[in-house]
């Protein structure tokens, strides 16, 4: 997927399973397959949008890549290095180059620390620059994200939600990273503020050559910021394509249903809504064959028996879908 210029990020067969323990001896009696064989690539300077319903495993993908959660299986190559096998010293360099923006702009900032201390904390941990250089860097970052440097001695509760997310962006930029994992960074914000944050992220990407993994459930937001889109369902990617191809011609039934749910800005425009029956199956007991078949309107006996891998669709090897009926 996405073999253009240089792939900064390459993920192959990523699995993250959590044990289910029961009994007096806490024996493992099962596995929650939160991520179950995810593969993708991201070119340097590009954005991959990772979308899907709540509980599909997209946030777990991000947290596993940044090693907040340990992977069960698979490989993650960052700028040529195998991250999952890096020794401790090399991990420190990786953490400088890879940062994460969190969903909740209220809970992700320490209320006991000033904004200046929050943004500069990573530079202190990694021993970057002198105290004066760190102070200058914090002031520069606050200005870059649209906040006044004179407010660096204020506390997080003195800022609005949109301003707090800007603080989170500044914190992520403190070590001058190459790759930022954005975990639903605008879902907790008002719609008018969402557009401001998205525009800021795009401006920073252009200025600094950043690479994003943009995790979201809002497909309208993903369309605005992404170069490529991967659609997840029950721990697996079911469709992958460049943004224009996916939104113009979605081929997987699940992607079609998600896109049909996007609100139409023109109220009188006739739009057919695809309503899926049932609920998302449990990742601890996924269905046999295609995980989507219990809810799929096109499902046949073959779908219940065989798990389909991603195959080229729409006449392009850059548009892939895990559905044998999709054209």
């Amino acid at each position: 997927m996405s073999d253009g210029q240089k792939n900064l990020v390459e993920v192959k067969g990523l699995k993250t399973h959590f044990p289910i323990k029961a009994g007096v001896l806490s024996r493992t009696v099962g596995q929650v397959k939160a991520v179950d064989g995810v593969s993708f690539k991201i070119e340097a300077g590009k954005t991959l949008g990772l979308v899907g319903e709540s509980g599909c495993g997209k946030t777990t993908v991000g947290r596993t890549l940044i090693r907040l959660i340990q992977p069960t299986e698979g490989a993650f190559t960052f700028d040529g290095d195998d991250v999952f096998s890096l020794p401790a010293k090399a991990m420190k360099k990786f953490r400088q180059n890879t940062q994460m923006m969190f969903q909740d702009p209220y809970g992700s900032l320490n209320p006991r620390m000033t904004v200046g201390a929050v943004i500069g904390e990573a530079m202190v941990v990694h021993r970057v620059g002198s105290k004066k250089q760190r102070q200058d860097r914090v002031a520069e970052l606050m200005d870059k994200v649209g906040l006044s440097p004179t407010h660096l001695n204020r506390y997080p509760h003195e800022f609005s939600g949109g301003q707090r997310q800007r603080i989170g962006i500044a914190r992520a930029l403190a070590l001058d990273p190459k790759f930022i994992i954005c975990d639903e960074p605008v879902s907790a914000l008002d719609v008018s503020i969402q557009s401001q944050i998205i525009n800021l992220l795009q401006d920073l990407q252009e200025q600094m050559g950043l690479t994003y993994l943009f995790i979201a459930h809002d497909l309208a937001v993903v369309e605005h910021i992404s170069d490529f889109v991967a659609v997840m369902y029950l721990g697996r990617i079911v469709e992958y394509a460049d943004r224009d191809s996916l939104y113009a011609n979605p081929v997987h039934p699940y992607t079609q249903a998600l896109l049909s749910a996007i609100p139409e800005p023109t109220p009188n425009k006739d739009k057919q809504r695809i309503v899926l029956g049932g609920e998302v199956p449990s990742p601890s007991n996924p269905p046999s064959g295609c995980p989507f078949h219990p809810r799929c309107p096109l499902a046949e006996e073959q779908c219940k028996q065989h798990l389909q891998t991603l195959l080229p669709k729409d006449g392009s090897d850059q548009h892939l879908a895990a559905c044998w009926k999709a054209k």
Side-chain angles (χ1 to χ4, degrees), residues 128-146:
V128 176
S130 64
K131 184 176 180 180
K132 177 65 167 60
Q133 289 172 327
R134 290 195 291 267
Q135 290 174 339
D136 291 344
R137 175 66 172 163
V138 168
E140 176 192 342
L141 288 169
M142 290 191 70
D143 182 65
K144 189 181 286 288
V145 300

Side-chain angles (χ1 to χ4, degrees), residues 41-50 180 182 201-202 205 210-215 222 225-229 240 243:
K41 299 178 182 180
I42 312 176
E43 293 177 16
K46 300 292 185 181
T47 300
L48 172 66
L50 188 61
I180 297 181
C182 307
L201 289 172
Q202 289 180 310
Q205 184 176 44
L210 297 170
T211 303
Y212 294 144
L213 174 62
F214 192 90
I215 299 167
V222 170
I225 193 172
S226 301
D227 297 293
F228 296 88
V229 180
Y240 174 93
R243 175 192 59 202

